[in-house]
Amino acid sequence: MALLEIRNLHAQIEDNQILRGLDLTVNPGEVHAIMGPNGSGKSTLSYVLAGKPDYEVTEGEALLDGQDLLDMDPDARAAAGVFLAFQYPIEIPGVATMTFLRTAINAQRKTRGEAELSTPDFLRLVKEKAGELGITQDMLRRGVNVGFSGGEKKRNEILQMALLQPKLCILDETDSGLDIDALKVVSDGVNALRSPERGMVVITHYQRLLNHIVPDVVHVMHKGRIVRTGGKELALELEASGYAAYGQDAA
Amino acid sequence: MPAVQETVDRVKSIDVDQYKYGFVTDIESEKAPKGLSEDTVRYISAKKGEPEWMLEWRLDAYRRWLTMEEPTWARVSYPKIDFQDYYYYSAPKSSGPKSIDEIDPEILATYEKLGIPLRERDILLGIEPQSGSRVAVDAVFDSVSVATTFKAELAKAGVIFCSISEAIREHPDLVRQYLGSVVPVTDNFYATLNSAVFSDGSFVYVPKGVRCPMELSTYFRINERNTGQFERTLLIADEGAYVSYLEGCTAPQRDENQLHAAVVELVALKDAEIKYSTVQNWYPGDKNGKGGIYNFVTKRGDCRGANSKISWTQVETGSAITWKYPSCILRGDGSQGEFYSIAISNGFQQVDSGTKMIHLGKNTSSRIISKGIAAGRSENTYRGQVTAHRRATNARNFTNCDSLLIGDKCGAHTVPYIEAKNASAVFEHEATTSKISEDQMFYCLQRGLSQEEAVALIVNGFVKDVLQHLPMEFAVEAQKLISVSLEGSVG
Ligand SMILES: Nc1ncnc2c1ncn2[C@@H]1O[C@H](COP(=O)(O)OP(=O)(O)OP(=O)(O)O)[C@@H](O)[C@H]1O
Ligand SMILES: [Mg+2]
C-alpha cells in the first residue's frame, strides 16, 4: 500500500482556488522532490496535508497508510506520523526549545498510547541528535526559534524531525537560507532518516539540495497540479531550462 | 475554523464549572449572628478572648467604616453588596486549643484534598517534598487558624509564626507597635472593614539578623456559606532578617458571591528582606458569571529601613472579582520594591490588579513585571502607580506589563499612573498586548500537541519571567494551576 496517496486534491483559501486536482503517490522508502515556480501551491499542499486551519479542501482525498488524513485534527495527523518542516518556522517566546521538544514527543506518545520518555532517555536522545546537527545546548535553552538565524531555524526543524521519527516527512524549502556547510549538515540529517518504511516529500527550488538528498522521483508543480513527473535528471533539466515549457507566466 | 476560534469555543464548552477545588466540608460551625453591627464586632473580639485595647481598635474602625463609601474607580462591576447579608465570623465548632491530633478529621481531609502538608508528624516521618525543602503551614479554615506546624523549630530560631489571634494574646507589644502601621485603619473602605471584623490570619516576626530557616506558608480556604473571610496578616522582618512567605487560597464552589477582604501588612527594617508569594485560585463563578469570590484585598509593604527589600509575587487565577494592589512604600534610603504578577481571567471574571511603588527615600528602586492573560468574556486590567517624592533623589523604576488575549470577547487594559516630583527620577515603562497567533497554535499542533497543551505551553512561556520569581515548589504548583485554569477556560 502506498504511504501517501493523494487523488484529485482541490483546496482553497479565502475563496482562492490554489490546488486544482493534484495527484501524488509516495510509497514507503521513497523520496519525492517537488519543484515549481513561486506561487504554484507547494506550501499550500504541505499545509493542507498537515491540516492547517483556513485551508478548505473542496474535492479529492489524501490517504496516509490508507487512512483518511483530511478527516483528522492536525495533532492527530502529527501523531499518525505526518511531519512538516516549515518554510518559515514559528517563534514561541519564553518556551525553551528543550521543553518544546519534550512536550511534543510526549504528546505524540500519549496519543499513540505509549509511555512518556524518561528524562535521562530524552536528554540522551536530544544530545545525540542535536550534536549531529550542530545545535548547541545554548540554543536548546533559548525560546523556540527565538533569536535563531534563518539557518538555525531550519536545523531546528530537522532536529524535531529526527526526534519525532515521523512516517511522512514534508520538507518545505529546508535548503533556503542555509550556507554551504549547513546544507551538508542538514542533508546528512535528512539522509540519516531515510529508511525503507519512511517516505519524504522534499519541496525545493534548487537542484543543489538534490545533489545531497537524491530523490527517487521529481515532480513539477504548476498552478496547483503536478504537471510533470520524472527521475532525478528532471531536476537538472529544470535547472537548465526553467519553467518556461510549462506556460510559466508569472514567476 | 481558525485555531484560536476553536480554542475559544473549547474554552466555552469546557467552562469554568469544573472548578477543581469545589467541594464543601460538612462540619458544624459556630457563627456570629448575620449582619454587621457593634455587637458583631464585640462578638468576634470576645470569641477570641481579645484584650480591651484590641476591641477598642476594632470599634474605632467600625465607626469610621460607617462613614465611608465603597470605592468605584476600579474597572469592575457587580451588584451592590449588602453588607448585612453576610456572616462575619464562622469557626469550626470543635475548635479550641489543641494538638494536631485533636483536629476534626473532616478538616484534615479537606486539607488533604487541597494537598497541604498539614500533618507535621507525617512530614517529619519522611513524606517531605522531593526537593527536601520544607514549608511551615499556618492553615486558616474559615476564620480560625486551625493548626500551625513547625512552630517549635521556628521558635528555636526565634521566629514567631502563629495566628494573629494568638499574637494579640501572646505578643501584644509587637502587635500594637506594628498593626495598622502600614495600612492605616482608614486607608480604604475594605481595609477599614477588615480592621473592624478581621477574624484571623497569620503573624510573623523574624528577629534581627535571622534568616528564617524555612518557607512560611498560609493556606486560606473559605468553606462556610455566606461568610466573609477577613484575614489579617502582619509580617515583620527586623534588621537584617530574611523571610519568604507563601500564601495560597481556595474556596469551595458556591452560587452566592462570597466576600473576602484581607489586609496584609509587611514591615522590613534596615537591611531586611521579605519575599511574599501568593497563589490565588478562589472559585471564579460558573460559566454564566454566577457565584464566585469577591476579593477586595489591601496588601502593602513598608521598606522602613535603609537597604530593605520587599518583593511581591502573585499568581491570580481565581475569584469573580479581584481588586488588589500589593504595594511598596520605599521609605528607607536604598530600599527596593518588586512586584511580579500573573493574572489570568476567564469566563466572566473581572480582574483589576496592579501595584503602587511609592518612592520616598533616596536611591530607591522598584521593578514591576506584570503578565495579564484574558480569556472568555473576562476583563483584565493592570493598574499601576509609580511616584517619586521630592526627597527621592535617583529613584528608579522599571515597569513591563504585557497582556495576552485568548479569543476576542475578552479585554485587557493598562492604566499606569506615573508621577515624579524629583527631577533625578528615572521611570521606564513598557507595555505590550498580544494574541496567541494562529501560526503559533498550528506549529504546536503540527508537532502533536493538543489545543489545550499548546495554549498552556504558550501561556507558560508568556509568564516565564514571573514564574521564575516564585519559590520552586510554588512555581510547579503555579504552572499546573495555569494549565488547569486555562483548561477550565480553554479546553
Ligand atoms: N491567505 C491567503 N489568501 C489568499 N491567497 C493566498 C493565501 N495564502 C497563499 N495564497 C496564495 O496561494 C498561492 C500559492 O501559495 P504557496 O505558498 O502555496 O506557493 P509556493 O508554491 O509555496 O510558492 P513559493 O515557491 O514562493 O514558496 C499564491 O498565489 C499565494 O499568494
Ligand atoms: Mg512555499
Side-chain angles (χ1 to χ4, degrees), chain B residues 41 97 155 338 360 392 454:
Chain B
V41 177
E338 292 175 338
L360 302 178

Side-chain angles (χ1 to χ4, degrees), chain B residues 43-51 53-54 58 89-91 95-98 138-146 148 151 160-173 175-176 179 197-204 230-234:
Chain B
Y43 177 96
I44 294 168
S45 188
K47 271 283 160 209
K48 304 196 150 290
E50 286 177 353
W53 63 265
M54 195 66 239
R58 287 177 179 274
Y89 182 83
S90 157
S95 84
K98 65 191 80 65
D138 179 18
V140 175
F141 194 96
D142 284 11
S143 306
V144 172
S145 183
V146 179
T148 302
K151 231 172 177 171
I160 304 171
F161 179 36
C162 61
S163 70
I164 191 101
S165 309
E166 187 180 335
I168 290 167
R169 293 191 301 266
E170 308 290 328
H171 309 282
D173 295 346
V175 174
R176 287 186 89 159
L179 188 72
V197 300
F198 74 84
S199 31
D200 217 327
S202 301
F203 176 82
V204 178
F230 303 91
E231 318 87 13
R232 185 95 195 181
T233 294
L234 178 57

Side-chain angles (χ1 to χ4, degrees), chain A residues 13-14 16 18 36-44 55 87 173 205:
Chain A
I13 178 159
E14 291 162 19
N16 298 300
I18 313 291
N38 296 130
S40 55
K42 304 181 296 298
S43 293
T44 302
Y55 287 80
Q87 184 172 359
E173 296 197 25
H205 285 294

Side-chain angles (χ1 to χ4, degrees), chain A residues 78 82 84 91 108 157 160, chain B residues 440 443 446-447 449 464:
Chain A
V82 176
L84 168 59
E91 298 183 4
Q108 294 202 9
E157 294 292 285
Q160 294 175 48
Chain B
Q440 283 176 331
Y443 192 70
Q446 209 302 302
R447 297 311 186 237
L449 278 70
K464 190 183 119 225

Side-chain angles (χ1 to χ4, degrees), chain B residues 368-371 398-402 428-432 465:
Chain B
I368 299 170
I369 310 279
S370 161
K371 306 278 179 177
F398 173 76
T399 298
N400 172 263
C401 99
D402 297 327
E428 290 173 77
H429 183 94
E430 291 174 359
T432 65
D465 296 348

Side-chain angles (χ1 to χ4, degrees), chain B residues 103-397:
Chain B
I103 293 175
D104 191 326
E106 285 264 12
I107 294 180
L108 284 181
T110 300
Y111 282 119
E112 223 154 86
K113 272 186 239 174
L114 293 171
I116 302 169
L118 189 71
R119 302 205 65 151
E120 182 181 3
R121 196 184 52 194
D122 290 357
I123 295 165
L124 293 174
L125 282 173
I127 315 173
E128 285 180 23
Q130 277 185 337
S131 61
S133 67
R134 284 175 307 159
V135 178
V137 179
D138 179 18
V140 175
F141 194 96
D142 284 11
S143 306
V144 172
S145 183
V146 179
T148 302
T149 54
F150 284 108
K151 231 172 177 171
E153 192 171 334
L154 289 169
K156 228 187 287 165
V159 175
I160 304 171
F161 179 36
C162 61
S163 70
I164 191 101
S165 309
E166 187 180 335
I168 290 167
R169 293 191 301 266
E170 308 290 328
H171 309 282
D173 295 346
L174 281 172
V175 174
R176 287 186 89 159
Q177 185 181 349
Y178 291 106
L179 188 72
S181 74
V182 185
V183 178
V185 168
T186 52
D187 187 80
N188 69 73
F189 183 83
Y190 300 109
T192 309
L193 176 63
N194 174 287
S195 300
V197 300
F198 74 84
S199 31
D200 217 327
S202 301
F203 176 82
V204 178
Y205 173 77
V206 187
K208 259 185 203 171
V210 170
R211 219 188 138 79
C212 188
M214 64 188 74
E215 311 258 357
L216 304 180
S217 165
T218 303
Y219 222 99
F220 290 119
R221 179 170 167 77
I222 301 178
N223 193 59
E224 195 60 49
R225 208 168 265 267
N226 280 336
T227 48
Q229 184 159 2
F230 303 91
E231 318 87 13
R232 185 95 195 181
T233 294
L234 178 57
L235 201 159
I236 302 134
D238 212 325
E239 292 183 8
Y242 168 84
V243 61
S244 167
Y245 190 88
L246 319 177
E247 176 200 86
C249 322
T250 52
Q253 193 164 334
R254 296 263 192 223
D255 279 352
E256 310 89 355
N257 295 98
Q258 285 158 285
L259 180 62
H260 178 260
V263 171
V264 175
E265 295 179 276
L266 312 183
V267 180
L269 300 184
K270 187 166 167 291
D271 297 323
E273 181 176 350
I274 300 172
K275 264 178 83 92
Y276 194 102
S277 314
T278 308
V279 170
Q280 186 265 113
N281 62 336
W282 272 325
Y283 180 49
D286 70 8
K287 62 169 186 271
N288 300 314
K290 192 158 187 264
I293 301 287
Y294 286 175
N295 191 21
F296 302 101
V297 182
T298 305
K299 289 185 167 177
R300 196 172 302 152
D302 190 356
C303 288
R304 209 163 277 184
N307 301 316
S308 53
K309 182 172 175 185
I310 289 177
S311 177
W312 298 100
T313 306
Q314 61 172 23
V315 179
E316 301 280 317
T317 67
S319 294
I321 292 177
T322 303
W323 182 99
K324 180 181 174 190
Y325 316 91
S327 304
C328 295
I329 302 168
L330 303 168
R331 197 185 304 275
D333 290 346
S335 59
Q336 295 174 48
E338 292 175 338
F339 175 73
Y340 300 106
S341 170
I342 298 168
I344 300 183
S345 57
N346 187 16
F348 282 83
Q349 283 177 270
Q350 304 175 58
V351 178
D352 195 300
S353 183
T355 185
K356 281 192 250 182
M357 292 291 173
I358 301 163
H359 293 255
L360 302 178
K362 294 188 185 68
N363 302 317
T364 47
S365 61
S366 59
R367 190 176 161 80
I368 299 170
I369 310 279
S370 161
K371 306 278 179 177
I373 297 132
R377 291 167 174 274
S378 67
E379 293 292 330
N380 201 319
T381 301
Y382 166 82
R383 189 181 300 277
Q385 183 180 42
V386 181
T387 57
H389 287 250
R390 270 195 312 281
R391 228 177 59 72
T393 317
N394 291 326
R396 293 274 179 283
N397 167 264

